[in-house]
Amino acid sequence: MQKKARKTRRQLLAEKAAAQQQLINKANALANPLEKLQKFHEYTTKDNCTVKLSCIRARNAEPECLFWVFDIMERNMKSMYEQTSWGWNADEKQAELTEETSWYLVASCNDKYLGFSHFRFDVDNGDIVLYWYVYHMCRQYLS
């Protein structure tokens, strides 16, 4: 009977990382992560506005949408970042919002953007995570 070679810690960690990356790649290969959640694609508000939710890859977003996304993010978050040791860097935030693996969940009504959430599938400290950044809805866009 031949003894099975034991895998080193490094080999086990590499296998785990490869398996995690396969799951992340599978998630990012989806055309629309919300496709199976049909009930969440559209709803009607109390004031009869039909809000549509779209899941868009950042790299596929229209320039108008990208400009709007950055504008909302900057208006809602800039002052908070300026109060931290990180500070505010518009170029870094723009790059973060448009990373290859970035997605947007965009709410719109009557072809006007209402709000968005930025998310991405990733691995952090050896765990598969979904980073979800929420920026509040802008009710003023309804009028």
Side-chain angles (χ1 to χ4, degrees):
M1 181 180 277
Q2 191 174 23
K3 247 187 181 179
K4 209 175 191 185
R6 287 180 34 148
K7 293 182 181 180
T8 66
R9 177 173 163 76
R10 181 177 290 177
Q11 287 171 319
L12 292 171
L13 289 174
E15 287 177 3
K16 179 181 177 186
Q20 289 173 326
Q21 192 58 53
Q22 280 183 329
L23 288 173
I24 297 299
N25 293 346
K26 186 176 178 179
N28 281 318
L30 295 170
N32 178 358
L34 295 182
E35 188 173 348
K36 293 186 179 190
L37 303 172
Q38 291 297 318
K39 290 183 180 182
F40 294 101
H41 289 200
E42 186 174 293
Y43 68 94
T44 303
T45 65
K46 292 177 186 175
D47 55 349
N48 284 330
C49 178
T50 300
V51 175
K52 295 181 181 183
L53 297 176
S54 304
C55 193
I56 306 166
R57 288 180 188 275
R59 68 175 184 243
N60 297 339
E62 297 291 330
E64 175 188 348
C65 181
L66 290 172
F67 176 81
W68 178 82
V69 160
F70 186 75
D71 180 58
I72 292 294
M73 197 279 198
E74 184 174 31
R75 285 193 284 137
N76 290 328
M77 304 301 292
K78 182 178 179 180
S79 64
M80 290 172 47
Y81 274 97
E82 289 174 333
Q83 295 172 27
T84 69
S85 60
W86 299 331
W88 173 259
N89 183 314
D91 292 334
E92 285 179 10
K93 288 296 155 199
Q94 184 78 35
E96 181 181 306
L97 285 169
T98 56
E99 286 179 345
E100 179 68 20
T101 58
S102 291
W103 294 81
Y104 303 137
L105 179 61
V106 178
S108 63
C109 179
N110 298 324
D111 295 323
K112 291 183 182 180
Y113 299 122
L114 303 176
F116 81 101
S117 180
H118 166 225
F119 66 98
R120 62 189 167 88
F121 303 102
D122 208 345
V123 176
D124 187 20
N125 293 321
D127 294 316
I128 297 172
V129 296
L130 172 65
Y131 284 114
W132 196 277
Y133 307 91
V134 179
Y135 306 95
H136 70 71
M137 297 283 232
C138 296
R139 195 74 181 146
Q140 71 206 40
Y141 287 98
L142 282 172
S143 55

